[in-house]
Each structure stands twice: as structure tokens, then as C-alpha cells.
Amino acid sequence: MPEPITTPGLYDLTPEQYHRDPVPGGSLSQSRAKTLLREAGPARFRHYEAIPETKPEWDMGTVAHAIVLGKGSERLRLIDAKDYKTKAAQDARRDAYAKGMTPVLPHQMRQSEDMAEALSRHTLAVETLSGRHEVAAFHKRDDGLWLRSQFDAMNPECVGDYKTAADASSWFARSAWKYRYHMQGAWYRRMLAWLTGEWRPYRLVAQEVTAPYLVSVWELDDLAIRQGESDMDEAIAIYQHCMRSGQWPGYPDEIQTLSPPDWALDDEIEID
């Protein structure tokens, strides 16, 4: 366990140490803040605070992060099986989760190694993900609220973020908006500026998870950054209101009106 963090700054922490939140009294992370902006977000936030959200489909991204960034492979547990259909493989996966490790099948490990090799040939991606890895940032605002974030990579040119994707083409912009990477970028830029006085670009390295594992590099424009800052401020306001009131609402406690969507009113669609 890391020492409690009581001084704002940049720290080298593992993702597990970071996600345990070493700030006494707690802090708000950008990933948790995104939850607050969803429908019924406060209720979801409160639930995941007690029971962290996990999904097996996230494992491949975790494995790829460790192999591509060259940090964290000791947190992977290789499962000697071709899939998780057998009881032995399922038990081994549960044991890995229980010990805070990420299970990985042999073919997934080979895939991640192939992805790392493909990325190594992309000069701009390599430069973006160079420098210090898994850098945790902690900032205390004037109102006493602690904020935190963890950068995949930090170097003199930018803050780099590695994302696996089904499609790293121009369609990646849709995923970026869906997952609020614009808010993540704004959050990272502000955190770094608060702690170092430097405003650095936030760049995303997107890599496809199917061969030939193509790579693209993205940087948010001013409009995206402004929207991200607005989302960040809104999420913080929701968090502070819920903390003060002790209320973490879900969907409205009232009857809502259900009207046919525009597509359902098409003349060619029959509504019973």
C-alpha cells in the first residue's frame, strides 16, 4: 500500500494503487466523473464506489496497455487455456481477479505483442507514448476538493493516452465523443497545468485490435477542449452537490411521458 497522499503533485503509482485512492477522505477521478454525466449518473457513481465496475471485455485493453507501454506486465496472469469454457480456466480467471491481477490467454498475449510490434513502427505514436508512464497526478482545489488522474505517458511534448479500438480511422471520433475523451483531455491538461504551470497538448494513440493493428494519433482542437472543460466543471458541480446533500439520485421519481420517436412515425412502419 502506498503512503497516504496529502501533498499535491505527480507520483509513480501502479493503477491498483491509484484506483484505491490514497487520498485520505477521497478524491474525484476523471473516469469516475464521467459516470456522473450519464443518465442516473449519481446513483451509478455511488454503486460503483462500493462495487467497482469491471467487465471481462476490458481485459484485452489492460493487457495491451501493459505490453505496449512496457510497464505492468507483472500484473498479468497467464492462463494456460485456449478459452474460458472449462471450469479450470474459469477458476483460474476468478483467482486472478481476486488477487488484483488481469487474466490473459496465450493467444491474447501473442496478439498484444503483435500490437506492440506494429505500434513500434509508427514514429509519431512512439514519440507520443514516450517518457514517464503511469504518472498519477493529485491536485487540491481552493475549496478543499481533491482531484486525481493517471497519465499513460508524459513527456516534454505532450500527455499521451493509449486506446485500443475496433476502428482507428476517422470513425474513431465517434468513439472518442461517446467515451468523453474530450473531457479526459481537458482534465489531464488542467491537472498538469495546476501542478507544473505548463499547458501541454493531450494526444490520443488509437490502435485497432485486429491485424494489421493499424495506428492513428489524434489531438483535440480548441472546441473539443472547451467542451471538455465544460463537462469537467459540470461533473464536479454534480459531485459536490451530491456530497453536500447526501443524495445520489437515479432516474426521476415521477411518471415520464413516452412518445414515439421520429423513426417510429415513418409511414412505412406500422405501429400496433
Side-chain angles (χ1 to χ4, degrees):
M1 287 289 293
E3 293 294 323
I5 289 178
T6 58
T7 302
L10 300 172
Y11 296 82
D12 289 315
L13 300 179
T14 66
E16 291 75 22
Q17 292 170 332
Y18 168 79
H19 289 302
R20 288 194 198 107
D21 193 358
V23 175
S27 61
L28 179 63
S29 71
Q30 63 81 23
S31 59
R32 298 292 307 284
K34 290 178 184 178
T35 301
L36 291 167
L37 298 179
R38 295 170 57 185
E39 275 197 275
R44 299 180 196 278
F45 181 100
R46 198 63 166 173
H47 173 74
Y48 295 139
E49 187 176 47
I51 306 173
E53 185 177 16
T54 59
K55 294 181 181 180
E57 57 264 34
W58 291 350
D59 289 348
M60 188 61 210
T62 302
V63 175
H65 266 76
I67 303 303
V68 167
L69 297 178
K71 189 172 183 179
S73 58
E74 72 280 359
R75 301 189 295 272
L76 305 180
R77 169 72 63 83
L78 187 63
I79 307 298
D80 187 17
K82 66 177 182 179
D83 53 41
Y84 291 113
K85 294 181 180 179
T86 67
K87 183 179 185 301
Q90 293 169 9
D91 289 343
R93 179 169 61 176
R94 278 194 294 270
D95 182 65
Y97 286 144
K99 294 178 178 176
M101 304 186 76
T102 299
V104 54
L105 298 171
H107 77 271
Q108 293 175 319
M109 182 65 78
R110 289 192 297 272
Q111 179 182 347
S112 295
E113 291 168 346
D114 289 344
M115 291 173 68
E117 199 280 328
L119 189 143
S120 71
R121 298 192 298 270
H122 195 291
T123 303
L124 184 56
V126 171
E127 292 174 352
T128 299
L129 297 177
S130 65
R132 294 173 61 186
H133 295 146
E134 295 182 355
V135 181
F138 294 85
H139 169 70
K140 186 178 182 180
R141 297 187 354 151
D142 292 339
D143 60 7
L145 175 65
W146 279 86
L147 303 177
R148 75 181 192 272
S149 59
Q150 188 167 46
F151 313 140
D152 281 349
M154 188 180 79
N155 57 64
E157 297 299 320
C158 68
V159 173
D161 212 358
Y162 175 66
K163 304 292 186 185
T164 55
D167 188 340
S169 71
S170 56
W171 283 88
F172 178 71
R174 293 173 178 260
S175 295
W177 203 254
K178 174 183 177 181
Y179 295 114
R180 295 186 187 274
Y181 294 158
H182 57 289
M183 189 181 92
Q184 186 169 342
W187 194 290
Y188 284 10
R189 279 166 49 86
R190 277 188 176 180
M191 291 289 286
L192 192 62
W194 283 328
L195 296 173
T196 69
E198 299 179 12
W199 290 95
R200 297 184 198 176
Y202 167 76
R203 291 177 185 157
L204 289 154
V205 174
Q207 182 170 31
E208 295 179 358
V209 294
T210 54
Y213 309 115
L214 297 175
V215 176
S216 59
V217 180
W218 304 80
E219 186 172 310
L220 302 179
D221 65 12
D222 291 342
L223 181 60
I225 288 291
R226 287 197 298 273
Q227 182 61 53
E229 290 175 339
S230 176
D231 287 356
M232 178 180 178
D233 291 337
E234 181 183 356
I236 290 173
I238 293 171
Y239 176 76
Q240 291 183 310
H241 174 75
C242 291
M243 289 291 288
R244 286 193 300 267
S245 67
Q247 300 296 315
W248 301 82
Y251 296 119
D253 186 16
E254 60 186 26
I255 296 175
Q256 301 181 75
T257 301
L258 182 62
S259 298
D262 292 341
W263 57 262
L265 298 178
D266 190 297
D267 292 339
E268 298 180 359
I269 299 179
E270 181 178 335
I271 301 179
D272 294 332

